[in-house]
Amino acid sequence: MPKLALHWQILIAMVLGIVAGLLINQYWTSETWTSLGVGAPAEFLAGTPHDANAQAGPLAHSARFAAKATDFCGKLFLRCLRFIAVPIVLFSLVVAVASLGDPRKLGRVGGKTIGIFLLTGFTSAVLGVSLATLTRPGVLDDPASRDSLPRAAAQSAVVAEAGAREYSAWKVVLDAVPENPFHAIANAQMLQIVVLGIVLGLGLTLIDPEKATPVIRAFDGLAEAVLRLVQLLMHAAPIAVFALISTIIAGLGLAVFKALALYCLVVVGGLAIILFVLYPGLTTLLTPRSNRVGFARFFRAMSPAQIFAFSSSSSAATFPVTLQCCRDRLGADEGIASFVCSLGVSFNMDGTALYQAIVVTFLAQLYGIDMSFGDCVTVALMAALLSIGVPGIPGGSLVVMAVVLDSIRVPADGIAIILAVDRVLDMCRTVINISGDAMGTAIVAASEGKLLTPAELAARGDSATT
Ligand code: ASP
């Protein structure tokens, strides 16, 4: 029997995970636990002794085992990817910068990369403000619906807000420069690691090639070995995707989305415009006709990374998969892919920029604050700039949200309202964040003549491995 391609396996696992999660959320209620002899399900699942669980039978224990095993599989996979993310960013960026060699070439590739990232970042933020202004998801005619908005998470909002107040554009730039490179590596500070990789790579281009070459070769070998590990690890991706998605959906269900339905729709609609119109539009326009990266080619190449971003809500954890897809499935030159994706992992967060712009406009409407044209421009600028340096972790946006809210005096405790639905929207915006890096890679690689055509890629023979 022919083996199903890995991206199909991952896609099927995702759909099954959503279905399983929804079924569990709907039908596995506290009555189900009671019928199995469990009176305090939370304690039972956590393994904390409780008198009410004394009667728990073998079925209850099996259910707990299944829940723990599922959670374990997802967490283990994420841990492996996080383990890979720091070394791969560093190794591949050093090699990429050193192999670009000539600082003029580095400047040209860097300039194009940053230009594309800024263009899409601002476009996304402007799109966010415009969509929210047009659809007005925060204007609730019925005061009862306003009162029904979830506020349960107020506590976490206070924490997120406290973290965010220390955030400013100056601080982002200052913090990007590592005081101690080993500290940056040990603490997985991606922005600092990117700076370290660029500086070290530049340093290698400036010394005697006889000394530089063995060092570059060593980094190159290490980067290659780590990417090979990613290829192997991807064989376990369907199981991990099922585990991650089913656990999240089983916990969330759909009920929480009712109160904020229009807001969620606006966010998802905006993200869809970026993913399905802006990116394929730009790659189609900006890649040559002879080697065009159109809609189908883009999605076929990037779908494993996109599904993984969706399941993990972490663009940093997805980075190894993004890089591998850009190189092995899209056909981008390794140096360019490493350079653009490494920069993108901290600089290019279009999904996050759009999201922040919508949240601020939505909350302003909810609190009855009129936004002037100037306010809209401020919000778009803040959202685009502050998306730079947002950590590529689940809920990373919340770290800077209060600063964007402050910019037009929207009370930051409004974050509590959107927290309840943040996780699923986070899954969606993370897909956009990593797709933006792939879009940049395709355009820069094609403009430098460093993008294989599908025929060349097939002849090289490794596109089919994942
Ligand atoms: N989770 C997102 C990411 O990893 C960041 C965010 O919260 O917007 O890309």
Side-chain angles (χ1 to χ4, degrees):
M1 211 175 84
K3 205 166 165 262
L4 202 59
L6 189 66
H7 61 275
W8 287 117
Q9 294 181 28
I10 299 178
L11 193 70
I12 294 170
M14 181 177 82
V15 174
L16 290 179
I18 294 175
V19 173
L22 284 177
L23 288 177
I24 295 172
N25 184 274
Q26 285 295 304
Y27 298 109
W28 195 285
T29 57
S30 48
E31 284 85 60
T32 321
W33 280 118
T34 316
S35 69
L36 299 178
V38 175
E43 285 75 7
F44 182 71
L45 282 171
T48 321
H50 196 288
D51 291 346
N53 299 332
Q55 305 297 322
L59 254 176
H61 285 280
S62 312
R64 180 170 65 183
F65 178 78
K68 285 225 153 115
T70 312
D71 190 45
F72 172 82
C73 287
K75 286 201 174 126
L76 182 66
F77 193 83
L78 272 187
R79 198 170 256 260
C80 293
L81 277 179
R82 285 212 197 94
F83 163 84
I84 287 168
V86 169
I88 192 88
V89 170
L90 182 64
F91 298 152
S92 55
L93 198 54
V94 170
V95 179
V97 173
S99 65
L100 289 174
D102 171 6
R104 265 194 318 225
K105 189 170 169 203
L106 178 65
R108 194 178 65 226
V109 171
K112 282 182 201 171
T113 308
I114 291 174
I116 294 170
F117 287 171
L118 286 179
L119 171 78
T120 55
F122 282 108
T123 310
S124 305
V126 170
L127 179 69
V129 179
S130 316
L131 279 179
T133 309
L134 287 176
T135 54
R136 299 157 66 82
V139 181
L140 302 179
D141 297 330
D142 167 21
S145 359
R146 184 187 289 223
D147 295 341
S148 76
L149 288 173
R151 285 174 189 275
Q155 199 56 40
S156 351
V158 172
V159 177
E161 192 193 326
R165 299 238 175 241
E166 297 164 15
Y167 205 92
S168 80
W170 294 111
K171 197 166 179 304
V172 172
V173 178
L174 200 60
D175 284 352
V177 182
E179 278 181 14
N180 172 351
F182 297 102
H183 182 269
I185 295 171
N187 290 288
Q189 297 290 326
M190 282 301 183
L191 205 54
Q192 297 193 349
I193 295 171
V194 168
V195 172
L196 170 64
I198 294 178
V199 173
L200 197 57
L202 259 177
L204 285 168
T205 63
L206 300 177
I207 60 170
D208 180 2
E210 219 173 282
K211 285 190 180 153
T213 311
V215 181
I216 299 172
R217 282 230 183 95
F219 272 104
D220 196 22
L222 286 166
E224 192 64 44
V226 176
L227 264 179
R228 185 80 193 106
L229 290 179
V230 179
Q231 280 180 344
L232 292 179
L233 189 64
M234 283 307 284
H235 291 288
I239 300 174
V241 165
F242 176 85
L244 288 166
I245 298 253
S246 58
T247 309
I248 289 170
I249 303 287
L252 277 180
L254 289 179
V256 72
F257 294 99
K258 283 203 186 116
L260 295 167
L262 184 55
Y263 158 76
C264 293
L265 269 179
V266 174
V267 174
V268 173
L271 294 174
I273 294 176
I274 300 178
L275 185 64
F276 297 116
V277 181
L278 181 67
Y279 291 165
L282 282 176
T283 56
T284 309
L285 261 175
L286 299 176
T287 51
R289 188 194 284 262
S290 55
N291 191 11
R292 183 146 289 163
V293 181
F295 194 88
R297 182 173 168 195
F298 184 74
F299 284 99
R300 207 174 309 121
M302 295 313 299
S303 54
Q306 289 167 328
I307 295 176
F308 200 75
F310 185 75
S311 327
S312 66
S313 290
S314 169
S315 41
T318 311
F319 177 80
V321 189
T322 313
L323 183 56
Q324 194 238 346
C325 287
C326 284
R327 191 188 74 156
D328 295 346
R329 298 172 63 94
L330 199 57
D333 167 76
E334 180 161 359
I336 304 262
S338 306
F339 182 78
V340 180
C341 291
S342 305
L343 282 190
V345 81
S346 347
F347 285 96
N348 190 35
M349 298 238 174
D350 299 337
T352 300
L354 173 120
Y355 177 69
Q356 290 182 344
I358 293 182
V359 168
V360 179
T361 317
F362 165 73
L363 289 177
Q365 291 166 355
L366 207 63
Y367 285 111
I369 299 170
D370 266 336
M371 276 175 67
S372 64
F373 180 71
D375 287 336
C376 293
V377 175
T378 308
V379 168
L381 273 175
M382 293 292 280
L385 288 177
L386 288 181
S387 68
I388 297 173
V390 162
I393 53 171
S397 284
L398 301 173
V399 178
V400 294
M401 193 64 87
V403 181
V404 190
L405 288 169
D406 268 353
S407 67
I408 59 157
R409 299 162 313 282
V410 175
D413 62 1
I415 295 176
I417 297 170
I418 49 123
L419 266 188
V421 290
D422 184 67
R423 182 58 196 241
V424 169
L425 299 179
D426 193 4
M427 294 158 83
C428 302
R429 63 184 184 256
T430 308
V431 174
I432 313 303
N433 289 346
I434 67 104
S435 302
D437 302 343
M439 174 264 328
T441 303
I443 294 172
V444 175
S447 75
E448 293 285 315
K450 296 273 177 121
L451 182 72
L452 296 180
T453 61
E456 287 167 336
L457 193 60
R460 201 178 72 177
D462 52 14
S463 67
T465 48
T466 55

